[in-house]
Amino acid sequence: MAVNSIQEVLGKLEEIIQRAKEEQSSIGYFAALYYRMTLAVSEAIQRGEFENGSRMEQMDVVFARRYFDALESWRSGQATTLSWKIAFEATHNPNITVMQHLLLGMNAHINLDLGIAAATIRQKDAIFGMRKDFMHINSIIERLTNQTQEQLSAIWLPFTWLDRFFRSEDEGWIGFSIRIARGAAWKSAQMLAFAPDRNAENLIIQQLDQQVASLARKLDQQGFWLGLLLSWMRRSEKGSVRAKIEILEKG
């Protein structure tokens, strides 16, 4: 299913989430979070919060296509980026926590895909004209932060204490992590927008993918003590895979 509007993106995400529920697949964790964030962006566009709403919808569609294409390629055994390969393969590991799955998905999609999507729709100096709208997404995400943290606490009660421990001033780890990632994505978008040719652009993407994949491996593979902690965290999560997906997709 090719997507050409933000409503079609939401419809495709609903399909992925429903299939994940039926298959009890942890692919649904990130998809549920992504759905809620996309819905929030759609509502912000309708409220006129952006300088150029149609441009933001265009970027949202290009952005989402990278996730859909990566998932379809992986499911059919075709090559995809290293960043997404690590995130998707982690869904076969029963010892990975919900928090790790969300971080792996955000790592691949924001740290790699977002900059590519922005540069795809605006080249050269035109990229600077969308900076304000690009950064406004951060404030939209912050509106969802407390709710998402509450949902994670419903899955794993000690998450509340973990979040307080890692809290940066007035924002929790989700808002902080995404804000940092989006800042890095903006730098990547500028590099790609000014790439002199397609070969240079592909080289930048390959290098970015290597860097993002390196971070993904750190999220996916841990030392003994951290692995022990995460193993305990995973065993103490509440509910089936389907139940956890349903918690994450609540608006």
Side-chain angles (χ1 to χ4, degrees):
M1 173 184 171
V3 295
N4 297 294
S5 70
I6 200 166
Q7 290 306 312
E8 291 180 354
V9 169
L10 289 167
K12 181 65 174 177
L13 286 169
E14 287 175 341
E15 291 178 11
I16 293 171
I17 293 167
Q18 184 57 38
R19 176 174 172 178
K21 288 179 183 178
E22 294 169 358
E23 297 177 351
Q24 292 281 330
S25 170
S26 51
I27 281 177
Y29 299 151
F30 174 72
L33 178 62
Y34 189 18
Y35 177 89
R36 289 176 49 240
M37 290 185 174
T38 302
L39 181 61
V41 171
S42 175
E43 292 171 344
I45 291 172
Q46 294 173 20
R47 288 192 297 268
E49 291 187 20
F50 296 102
E51 289 184 337
N52 189 326
S54 61
R55 179 182 60 194
M56 290 308 294
E57 177 166 10
Q58 181 187 12
M59 192 180 81
D60 190 279
V61 169
V62 173
F63 184 40
R65 283 176 184 162
R66 289 195 59 84
Y67 168 60
F68 298 147
D69 289 347
L71 180 56
E72 182 60 32
S73 294
W74 178 76
R75 280 175 167 168
S76 61
Q78 299 176 34
T80 186
T81 60
L82 289 173
S83 307
W84 273 122
K85 181 180 179 183
I86 294 170
F88 291 140
E89 288 185 348
T91 63
H92 289 321
N93 185 345
N95 296 315
I96 299 292
T97 65
V98 172
M99 183 173 69
Q100 285 172 282
H101 283 300
L102 295 181
L103 288 171
L104 285 166
M106 289 190 296
N107 178 58
H109 205 35
I110 298 177
N111 286 335
L112 179 64
D113 290 344
L114 184 56
I116 297 172
T120 297
I121 66 167
R122 289 294 183 273
Q123 291 287 303
K124 306 299 182 184
D125 289 342
I127 192 75
F128 298 117
M130 65 182 297
R131 186 181 188 280
K132 183 176 180 180
D133 280 349
F134 185 96
M135 292 303 176
H136 181 61
I137 297 290
N138 292 345
S139 63
I140 294 173
I141 291 172
E142 285 171 7
R143 300 171 193 168
L144 301 174
T145 298
N146 288 337
Q147 184 184 72
T148 302
Q149 288 165 180
E150 290 171 1
Q151 291 166 332
L152 284 170
S153 296
I155 293 171
W156 188 65
L157 183 59
F159 178 83
T160 301
W161 309 325
L162 181 71
D163 179 59
R164 288 176 181 172
F165 181 77
F166 287 109
R167 183 173 289 272
S168 173
E169 296 181 354
D170 63 342
E171 64 180 336
W173 71 270
I174 294 175
F176 180 76
S177 299
I178 294 178
R179 181 167 56 82
I180 294 298
R182 288 186 61 82
W186 178 246
K187 292 179 181 178
S188 300
Q190 293 174 77
M191 286 192 297
L192 289 164
F194 284 92
D197 53 46
R198 183 57 60 87
N199 288 334
E201 180 182 301
N202 289 337
L203 181 59
I204 292 171
I205 292 174
Q206 289 174 12
Q207 292 172 339
L208 284 171
D209 188 28
Q210 290 284 352
Q211 294 169 9
V212 176
S214 178
L215 178 55
R217 292 187 186 98
K218 293 178 182 178
L219 294 169
D220 187 34
Q221 303 169 4
Q222 309 84 33
F224 176 77
W225 292 110
L226 181 56
L228 198 64
L229 172 63
L230 288 170
S231 177
W232 166 70
M233 181 176 175
R234 171 64 186 87
R235 290 196 304 272
S236 56
E237 288 178 348
K238 294 171 56 179
S240 64
V241 171
R242 183 187 185 103
K244 286 183 277 194
I245 292 172
E246 290 174 346
I247 288 173
L248 289 169
E249 69 176 335
K250 288 179 180 177

